[in-house]
Amino acid sequence: MPGPTDGLLIERAAAVATLAGGLRRGLSQGETAVLSGGPLAVACWHERVLAAGPAGDVHRQIVAAGHSLDSFARVDAAGGLVTPGLIDAHTHLVFAGTREAEWQMRARGAGYLEILEAGGGILSTVAATRAASDADLLAGARSRLSEMLANGTTTAEAKSGYGLDVETELRELDMIGRLDREGPVQLVPTFLGAHAVPAEFRDRPDGVAEYVDAVIGEQLPAVARQGIARFCDVFCERGVFSAEQSARILGAARDAGLALRLHADELAPSGGAELAAEIGCASADHLAAPSDEGVAALARAAAGDRPVVATLLPATSWFLGKHHFAPARRFIDAGIPVALATDLNPGTSPTVSLPLVMSIACLEMGLTPAEALVAATINAAHSLGLGAEIGSIEPGKQADLVVWGVPSVDQLPYWLGARPARTVIKRGRVAFVRG
Ligand code: NIG
Ligand code: FE
């Protein structure tokens, strides 16, 4: 592993998918801005990208910038593809326990919301998380993060939402901040107090309304005071939180200085897509069952100056045993920018792998490999408000890169379930090397 030198030079790449050029939608959803005709190189100086292109050009730019080639640590891409680090824009990273029994109940016909209604599902993870020590929660999250990194993820959004009380929501967000500082995977914290109504509110006649008041009146102010969340999210779904309740929570979150995202129309049309467009969410997630009006609202937002990224989570539909996936082609045709994420969580998507999610997106939603790569890099960056900083290989951007053991974008989601990341670089430093 190269030491902590100032410069890092990736050599002998067969292709570099730079993803340069900003947020993609419509026809540009599939434009990966690939440099080919190698051998190609990518140079990083400190934490930033310095240059990418044919090796000779990159060497000249290194010298022109006043650096000596000898002082650069080398990474041999050995004929592989280089891309920006993958960005997982929707995870429930911090949790305790597992839910394989519930998965088997679903296989025998039980519904996801039915299990939640009976006090299981999300609520069983809430009980386990409240009871777990910080040390255990951190150890679980760290092991998932190292697997994410090994699968090419260099930045991830991470939600609270398994606390559902002030103390545990703050604990979860605090741990996310701590894990971000530890690195190498960079984390974007999201407050999801409105993930479900906790047990202690469920037997009250107005329990849901009272819990919404508690999220707005107690949890959100505490989170905002501590400055430990960048986004606020709500599980807007028929039978969980209505569009009206979600609007109240997100409105209060915006007033408190948080940016917005939304679990929208995962299982049934629930007004989530419409709300995300109207209130100006950075991202509307899931969207497996949007209404026609919801798609139209997202299309109008995309045509205007406040596009809402449709962050699709096909591993979740798959793991829930659904044969119905988000209408990704319809979104792309309507000019709506599409991102992909794992939704990593113990109930509906126990996977850390964005390459696997990209494969499912190609197989079940008809994305091309190029569209899937755009969705897991630059569009995901934009959904997190980080499009100027990460998500593409351009001079000046943060040097988050993956060298893959495959030579082309098309082969990335093709090797089903493979672990194709060979070397992962975060902020200009080698953070993972496949043994
Ligand atoms: O995005 N749908 C709500 N939240 C998660 C699942 C969380 C859980 O079941 O623990 C999701 O699928
Ligand atoms: Fe989720």
Side-chain angles (χ1 to χ4, degrees), residues 6 45 50 58-72:
D6 294 329
W45 184 252
L50 179 68
V58 170
H59 293 174
R60 272 189 291 279
Q61 288 180 66
I62 288 174
V63 173
H67 310 307
S68 149
L69 258 176
D70 297 338
S71 67
F72 278 64

Side-chain angles (χ1 to χ4, degrees), residues 90 92 159 192 195 233 263 266 286 313 343 345 348:
H90 183 139
H92 303 256
K159 304 173 197 294
L192 179 58
H195 195 193
D233 189 350
H263 279 70
E266 173 181 356
H286 283 292
L313 315 169
D343 195 17
N345 77 78
T348 67

Side-chain angles (χ1 to χ4, degrees), residues 76 119 415 431:
D76 183 5
W415 294 104

Side-chain angles (χ1 to χ4, degrees), residues 25 32 36 42 106 129 145 165 256 273 281 344 347 350 363 399 401 409:
R25 56 192 118 179
T32 55
S36 57
V42 180
R106 284 205 305 272
T129 303
L145 281 167
D165 59 28
C281 286
L344 166 62
L363 288 165
L401 305 158
V409 171

Side-chain angles (χ1 to χ4, degrees), residues 50-136:
L50 179 68
D57 292 357
V58 170
H59 293 174
R60 272 189 291 279
Q61 288 180 66
I62 288 174
V63 173
H67 310 307
S68 149
L69 258 176
D70 297 338
S71 67
F72 278 64
R74 311 286 171 123
V75 169
D76 183 5
L81 166 74
V82 177
T83 71
L86 302 184
I87 298 167
D88 194 343
H90 183 139
T91 82
H92 303 256
L93 172 71
V94 180
F95 59 82
T98 57
R99 308 222 307 259
E100 63 277 17
E102 176 194 321
W103 181 40
Q104 294 306 307
M105 281 165 68
R106 284 205 305 272
R108 292 192 297 272
Y112 175 70
L113 289 182
E114 200 177 280
I115 294 168
L116 174 61
E117 207 39 56
I122 293 173
L123 295 180
S124 62
T125 302
V126 169
T129 303
R130 285 178 178 177
S133 66
D134 282 13
D136 285 349

